[in-house]
Amino acid sequence: MLALFILVPFAGSLIAIFFPSDQRGAIAWFAGAIALVCFLITAGLFPYVASGGVLRYRLDWIPELGLNFTLRMDGFAWLFSALITAIGFLVVLYARYYMAQEDPVPRFFALFLAFMGSMLGVVLSGNLILLAVFWELTSIVSFLLIGYWHHNAHARDGARMALTITGTGGLAMLVGLIIMGKIVGSYELDAVLASGDTIRNHPLYGTVLILILLGALTKSAQFPFHFWLPHAMAAPTPVSAFLHSATMVKAGVFLLVRFWPVMAGTEAWFWIVGLAGLTTLLIGAYFAIFQQDLKGLLAYSTISHLGLITVLLSLGSPLAAVAAIFHIVNHATFKASLFMAAGIIDHETGTRDMRRLSGLFHFMPITATLAMVASAAMAGVPLLNGFLSKEMFFAEAVETHLVNALDTVTPYVATIAGMFAVTYSLRFIHGVFFGQPPANLPRKPHEPPRWMRAPVDFLVLACLVVGIIPAQTIGPFLHAAVVSVLREETPYYSLAVWHGWNLPLIMSFVALSGGIGLYLLMRSYLAVEGPPVFRLLQGQRIFERVLVTLSWKWARWLEQRLGTRRLQPQMRLLVFLALAAGASPLLFGAFELPALVIRGIDPAFALLWAIGIACAVGSAYQAKFHRLASLVLLGGAGLVTCITFVWLSAPDLAVTQLLVEIVTTVLILLGLRWLPKRIEEPVAAEDISIRVRLRRLRDVLLAVAAGGGMMLIAYTVMTRPLPETIASYFLERAYKEGGGANVVNVILVDFRGFDTLGEIAVLCIVALTVFALLLRFRPQSDSLETPEQQRVQNAFDDDHPDRDAGDSVAEYLFIPSVIMRWMFPVTGMLAAFLFLRGHDLPGGGFAAGIAMSIGFILQYMSGGTRWVEERLRIHPLRWMSIGLLVATATGVGSWFFGYPFLTSHAQYASLPVVGKFPLATAILFDLGVFSLVLGATVLILIALAHQSVRAPRAQARAARSEKGAVS
């Protein structure tokens, strides 16, 4: 059920994106059904966690590294799951009527469901690394949701700000979680929660604390990272009602509660979390008073209430933790209803500007009543749910936890923030719903459709019911959550509405009366643009200055000194950095060079290498004069490398190297004509000779040093005894555990299958990037190196205006086209041969994919682009996607048999005529590699072939246009 719980929203997201845009009702009901199914699953799981039980589901991912797909639901995770799914369902129903006709609703609901799944992943993660993955996924999807109206500059800026702040905090949190896992010795959450003393007493506790708090405080918009939340209000109101009440901003406080048993209770925790929380509580409430936008007021009030929860968690008291969990639920309830009410007002009047809104009670009395009740809950009025958790907050604020100034000032700050909460709640109620009837509104106010208001009805009813009979309504669910977090430290607490006359009640009375008086005194000042005082605390200015400093000043400074459009300086810098990294172990004594032993040298092998060295040096020399000659010599050096692999008994590498040499040589040859002219440095004539010689000497020294370093590494590895190398491990286990005699292939598709899966994913991304760049690339007439070459090319194009670039290749090579076409089935058979023998003999999916791509290259060379694409149905993108899916599905398939991801299985199968033959699941993985490599290579080939057709015509047109202009 837990696995299904996570899978359903993501599956629904994939399906939702394919709905037609005109089927708004169908996609809304589909998304609502997904959310409802998730809520029903949550409700069905409550009996398992009600008594303190924990549900677990685990799929081994990389168990050797402690990385597993572990889902874990206890009472606290259940409570959050119920909030996410229940409010998610209500928001989907609300969005059905809120979204406009022109909005692309399939994209909205697809992103909405993806975010729901990501948030459920955060609260149900039972592994620290999995938690970090879902955490960053929420940042990415929320970026897309906040920037949903991407035609709006404010939406784009708000989305970028939210992603920058929360994403950076998430990366810091990831580092902290990794260190925490190393301290505990496991990344499993159960092991971490049982190691509180170990973590708190470790020397790296302070580092872990700061890194994890960076993730939590940025996500929950705590000072000084609070400023991104108001700018996220450019999102559609359903997004704000979901992300900023029950889900995204609650992820930070969820993390604080989750790690409260193992990290709280120290002085560092008290000061860092307490200072951030108190500051956020106060300035958030103060800023909310002066907002002119309804959603802006709710955004800053959200910041303040998140600060209240953070303050409670900083105190280190079990009762404070109970109050924090309780207020998480209460705030989600009344704040979601208030966001929806604000959206209704905007939807029915056409504005959210509080300076233009007044007297709406006469036009929408039901909505006004609901909004007033929710605002009263936000202000902490008795008999509403907000009052109960606020009372618990005041009760904990007056207790002594640590004798210091922060603990002393906490009750005073809490009371002042309570007064501000009453003030901005009163402004919301009185300023919008009472007073003179509004004038000059974009739309005439009226009540919304019944089902658009239904979610607000339900949430406001929950505020009332929980406020009146809390023990009978929220009590069992709160108890399950509290016990799962505090365990044996669970204190006695009461959810009674009346606790008698005490100091917290007096603080509530002071806050209520003081807030009312403050509103009456400040009514004439509430129309000012932005809050007076604390202007320096507006983090947006700091954020923008940091961005300007990083992206303009520092980046431009680095670009001026390190950036260049030329390839050679970039390569020089990369090689130098690699050389410095490789030489550092030698300098610090961490690596010892082996003794140099001179053995007999085979004259034939020495001659072979002499040829290779001559080709390499000649290629570097010819690059200055003739690029085609340089490419030919480079191919000669590659051929020598292939022969070297054969000589040293590495036939797999030899086959792959030879095939790659063929393909890359052709692809480079196709793109050779577009290389820009060489840029000569503007120096005086007498200095040219000295500058050129110094530059060449520098490049030679750098090349010799890098090559010498690679030689030392190779010599060190090859001279070590076999038992001391990792090779013996693979030689012993390749056939027994991988079912293949070809050790290299077994390593790639079995032992190091994770690496290969990552590599083919990178190859897929690179191929798509190259293809996209080539689509944008427009060859210019000056890409040919000399005016004479341009003149000849333009004349040729004038004489052959309809030629296909591929037709000329066979003519220039004096090879009949029919022979190249006949080679297609031959290369296909060769690819099949290499693929089928790869698990036991030299070959494999990568080599087979390259071999098959050679067949397509020959067809383009013989018949040209038009001829090939009229006769062959080529879909490289499908090949790439199918290959990646097949490779991934092979890894997932092992889960169904109870094995870790990508675990392969090998056995012998038997056929009547063929007899026994080896069969391994790794062959399916290799099939995915074959399909993706073939698709990626052919995709780049197609792009180059089409450019080859377009380039001569574009050059001819440019030349003719220029000639006409001159005339």
Side-chain angles (χ1 to χ4, degrees):
M1 294 300 290
L2 288 181
L4 181 66
F5 193 41
I6 292 291
L7 180 62
V8 165
F10 288 110
S13 174
L14 292 176
I15 297 173
I17 198 66
F18 293 104
F19 270 77
S21 296
D22 56 349
Q23 296 185 6
R24 301 168 52 84
I27 187 175
W29 287 113
F30 172 77
I34 294 293
L36 182 59
V37 167
C38 291
F39 175 73
L40 293 177
I41 294 175
T42 307
L45 294 176
F46 180 71
Y48 297 95
V49 301
S51 59
V54 179
L55 292 172
R56 297 178 181 86
Y57 178 75
R58 172 173 168 173
L59 287 174
D60 290 337
W61 180 257
I62 312 179
E64 292 81 1
L65 299 179
L67 305 181
N68 300 303
F69 188 86
T70 305
L71 301 178
R72 180 184 184 277
M73 176 182 277
D74 56 9
F76 183 56
W78 184 93
L79 185 64
F80 252 91
S81 300
L83 282 177
I84 294 166
T85 53
I87 295 183
F89 171 73
L90 296 175
V91 171
V92 168
L93 178 61
Y94 173 83
R96 160 65 180 86
Y97 299 93
Y98 179 88
M99 304 304 292
Q101 292 289 337
E102 60 274 12
D103 290 328
V105 288
R107 176 161 61 90
F108 173 82
F109 285 111
L111 292 173
F112 188 90
L113 291 175
F115 184 84
M116 181 184 293
S118 304
M119 194 65 202
L120 289 174
V122 169
V123 301
L124 294 178
S125 292
N127 184 278
L128 298 184
I129 306 303
L130 184 65
L131 170 63
V133 171
F134 279 116
W135 186 278
E136 290 297 81
L137 194 57
T138 59
S139 295
I140 295 171
V141 183
S142 65
F143 164 77
L144 298 174
L145 281 171
I146 295 170
Y148 173 76
W149 287 326
H150 49 75
H151 57 275
N152 188 339
H154 294 291
R156 297 196 302 270
D157 293 340
R160 182 189 62 179
M161 185 180 297
L163 179 64
T164 303
I165 299 300
T166 61
T168 304
L171 293 176
M173 185 196 75
L174 173 61
V175 178
L177 293 178
I178 292 174
I179 300 174
M180 178 183 286
K182 292 296 183 182
I183 293 174
V184 176
S186 173
Y187 292 110
E188 293 297 304
L189 186 59
D190 287 312
V192 172
L193 295 180
S195 306
D197 293 336
T198 303
I199 295 173
R200 285 188 291 266
N201 296 326
H202 198 275
L204 292 176
Y205 166 76
T207 303
V208 172
L209 176 64
I210 292 174
L211 291 173
I212 292 181
L213 287 182
L214 280 174
L217 298 181
T218 53
K219 204 75 160 185
S220 285
Q222 297 298 285
F223 181 84
F225 311 107
H226 61 283
F227 52 86
W228 69 263
L229 183 56
H231 293 275
M233 293 300 108
T237 299
V239 173
S240 302
F242 191 54
L243 269 65
H244 305 139
S245 66
T247 55
M248 182 179 175
V249 295
K250 290 295 197 307
V253 292
F254 167 84
L255 193 72
L256 294 179
V257 176
R258 176 57 78 199
F259 290 130
W260 188 90
V262 298
M263 302 195 71
T266 64
E267 190 171 354
W269 170 278
F270 181 85
W271 276 98
I272 298 174
V273 180
L275 274 176
L278 276 178
T279 308
T280 307
L281 169 66
L282 188 61
I283 67 171
Y286 180 79
F287 277 35
I289 296 174
F290 298 93
Q291 298 305 304
Q292 310 305 329
D293 182 13
L294 279 177
K295 287 177 65 176
L297 184 150
L298 296 178
Y300 277 106
S301 69
T302 298
I303 293 173
S304 179
H305 280 272
L306 292 171
L308 185 153
I309 299 170
T310 304
V311 172
L312 284 169
L313 295 172
S314 73
L315 300 178
S317 164
L319 278 174
V322 173
I325 297 172
F326 190 24
H327 196 69
I328 287 173
V329 181
N330 291 335
H331 175 262
T333 307
F334 63 68
K335 191 53 64 70
S337 61
L338 283 170
F339 270 118
M340 292 185 196
I344 289 173
I345 295 171
D346 183 22
H347 191 269
E348 306 306 334
T349 65
T351 182
R352 299 195 310 258
D353 193 339
M354 298 177 66
R355 291 166 295 189
R356 302 179 63 184
L357 297 171
S358 62
L360 293 184
F361 188 88
H362 301 286
F363 301 93
M364 42 178 63
I366 300 177
T367 301
T369 302
L370 294 173
M372 286 190 290
V373 174
S375 298
M378 179 171 64
V381 175
L383 296 183
L384 294 170
N385 61 349
F387 171 76
L388 299 176
S389 51
K390 187 193 70 172
E391 285 290 285
M392 297 174 74
F393 170 54
F394 285 163
E396 282 301 309
V398 298
E399 295 291 332
T400 300
H401 302 91
L402 289 178
V403 181
N404 54 37
L406 185 63
D407 192 63
T408 303
V409 78
T410 297
Y412 302 100
V413 174
T415 306
I416 295 172
M419 293 172 53
F420 290 161
V422 174
T423 302
Y424 62 68
S425 299
L426 271 176
R427 189 186 178 204
F428 185 94
I429 296 172
H430 187 265
V432 174
F433 300 114
F434 296 97
Q436 296 296 323
N440 301 322
L441 292 180
R443 303 190 189 100
K444 184 178 179 179
H446 58 83
E447 288 287 359
R450 183 183 65 176
W451 288 107
M452 184 179 185
R453 199 183 58 230
V456 186
D457 297 338
F458 179 84
L459 291 171
V460 171
L461 179 63
C463 294
L464 282 167
V465 172
V466 172
I468 297 172
I469 47 173
Q472 292 76 19
T473 54
I474 194 67
F477 310 116
L478 179 63
H479 178 73
V482 168
V483 170
S484 66
V485 173
L486 301 179
R487 298 181 183 180
E488 64 277 359
E489 295 184 21
T490 303
Y492 170 78
Y493 62 92
S494 173
L495 294 181
V497 178
W498 175 255
H499 292 279
W501 295 98
N502 53 26
L503 184 56
L505 184 62
I506 296 174
M507 294 170 67
S508 295
F509 177 77
V510 171
L512 286 171
S513 57
I516 295 172
L518 185 62
Y519 174 72
L520 295 176
L521 290 173
M522 298 184 62
R523 284 184 60 185
S524 58
Y525 300 99
L526 294 181
V528 299
E529 286 289 345
V533 193
F534 293 140
R535 293 282 177 89
L536 296 176
L537 297 179
Q538 292 183 346
Q540 179 189 1
R541 298 181 180 180
I542 302 173
F543 174 79
E544 291 174 350
R545 289 181 181 179
V546 170
L547 281 187
V548 167
T549 302
L550 292 176
S551 61
W552 285 94
K553 295 181 180 179
W554 293 1
R556 182 162 294 184
W557 183 84
L558 290 174
E559 182 184 12
Q560 291 174 351
R561 284 152 181 80
L562 302 178
T564 174
R565 297 180 61 188
R566 298 174 63 186
L567 180 63
Q568 291 85 351
Q570 297 179 30
M571 292 298 298
R572 184 185 306 121
L573 180 62
L574 289 176
V575 172
F576 176 77
L577 291 177
L579 181 63
S584 58
L586 294 176
L587 298 177
F588 294 102
F591 177 78
E592 295 182 1
L593 292 175
L596 182 61
V597 179
I598 304 297
R599 294 187 175 91
I601 300 176
D602 192 313
F605 189 72
L607 177 61
L608 176 67
W609 270 51
I611 295 173
I613 292 172
C615 288
V617 174
S619 176
Y621 180 77
Q622 284 292 333
K624 179 175 177 59
F625 305 102
H626 200 291
R627 286 167 171 163
L628 180 59
S630 176
L631 180 60
V632 172
L633 290 171
L634 188 62
L639 184 60
V640 169
T641 305
C642 295
I643 300 173
T644 302
F645 287 146
V646 175
W647 193 290
L648 298 176
S649 301
D652 267 290
L653 298 179
V655 170
T656 305
Q657 177 72 23
L658 181 60
L659 295 171
V660 170
E661 282 290 332
I662 295 172
V663 173
T664 53
T665 300
V666 173
L667 295 180
I668 293 174
L669 187 61
L670 289 174
L672 199 61
R673 62 186 302 166
W674 302 324
L675 290 180
K677 295 179 182 180
R678 296 172 182 81
I679 303 174
E680 297 295 338
E681 298 179 4
V683 294
E686 59 273 12
D687 296 334
I688 290 179
S689 178
I690 299 175
R691 294 284 299 272
V692 168
R693 290 183 179 181
L694 290 175
R695 185 179 63 191
R696 289 180 179 175
L697 177 62
R698 175 197 61 199
D699 293 343
V700 167
L701 293 176
L702 186 61
V704 169
M710 291 301 300
M711 180 192 70
L712 287 175
I713 294 174
Y715 179 78
T716 304
V717 172
M718 295 175 67
T719 54
R720 293 176 65 187
L722 187 61
E724 297 181 7
T725 67
I726 198 173
S728 58
Y729 174 88
F730 295 116
L731 289 173
E732 293 173 1
R733 291 169 171 78
Y735 188 78
K736 292 188 299 182
E737 300 181 11
N742 183 358
V743 181
V744 174
N745 185 265
V746 172
I747 291 173
L748 293 177
V749 300
D750 191 339
F751 291 107
R752 303 299 295 271
F754 288 103
D755 293 345
T756 305
L757 183 62
E759 288 165 4
I760 62 174
V762 170
L763 177 61
C764 179
I765 296 171
V766 170
L768 292 174
T769 304
V770 172
F771 181 73
L773 290 174
L774 287 174
L775 285 181
R776 296 172 62 88
F777 175 67
R778 294 295 181 267
Q780 302 296 325
S781 59
D782 61 350
S783 61
L784 298 173
E785 293 190 0
T786 64
E788 181 65 19
Q789 288 176 322
Q790 294 182 28
R791 186 186 64 78
V792 173
Q793 181 67 62
N794 293 335
F796 182 84
D797 291 323
D798 289 337
D799 294 337
H800 306 81
D802 298 324
R803 80 179 183 95
D804 198 340
D807 294 331
S808 62
V809 177
E811 296 173 5
Y812 294 157
L813 296 176
F814 302 102
I815 300 175
S817 298
V818 67
I819 295 180
M820 290 189 174
R821 294 171 188 172
W822 286 350
M823 291 297 293
F824 187 72
V826 176
T827 54
M829 291 297 295
L830 174 63
F833 175 73
L834 290 173
F835 175 77
L836 293 174
R837 76 198 298 261
H839 208 55
D840 289 311
L841 295 170
F846 186 87
I850 296 295
M852 192 66 219
S853 65
I854 293 174
F856 285 98
I857 289 175
L858 292 176
Q859 303 314 297
Y860 274 96
M861 293 173 65
S862 63
T865 305
R866 186 182 308 160
W867 184 90
V868 173
E869 295 179 1
E870 286 177 354
R871 289 162 176 79
L872 296 176
R873 298 181 63 84
I874 303 174
H875 302 288
L877 290 177
R878 294 183 185 177
W879 297 346
M880 293 166 61
S881 59
I882 290 173
L884 196 58
L885 287 174
V886 168
T888 306
T890 305
V892 173
S894 60
W895 279 343
F896 292 97
F897 299 94
Y899 293 100
F901 182 77
L902 270 180
T903 301
S904 65
H905 179 69
Q907 67 177 18
Y908 278 89
S910 179
L911 290 177
V913 178
V914 179
K916 287 187 176 182
F917 62 94
L919 188 63
T921 58
I923 294 177
L924 295 175
F925 182 83
D926 220 11
L927 179 63
V929 174
F930 164 79
S931 179
L932 192 142
V933 169
L934 175 61
T937 308
V938 173
L939 181 67
I940 297 175
L941 170 65
I942 290 174
L944 289 170
H946 280 271
Q947 288 288 359
S948 298
V949 174
R950 181 167 50 190
R953 296 176 184 172
Q955 293 167 356
R957 286 194 298 269
R960 285 194 292 269
S961 300
E962 184 178 356
K963 181 178 180 180
V966 171
S967 300

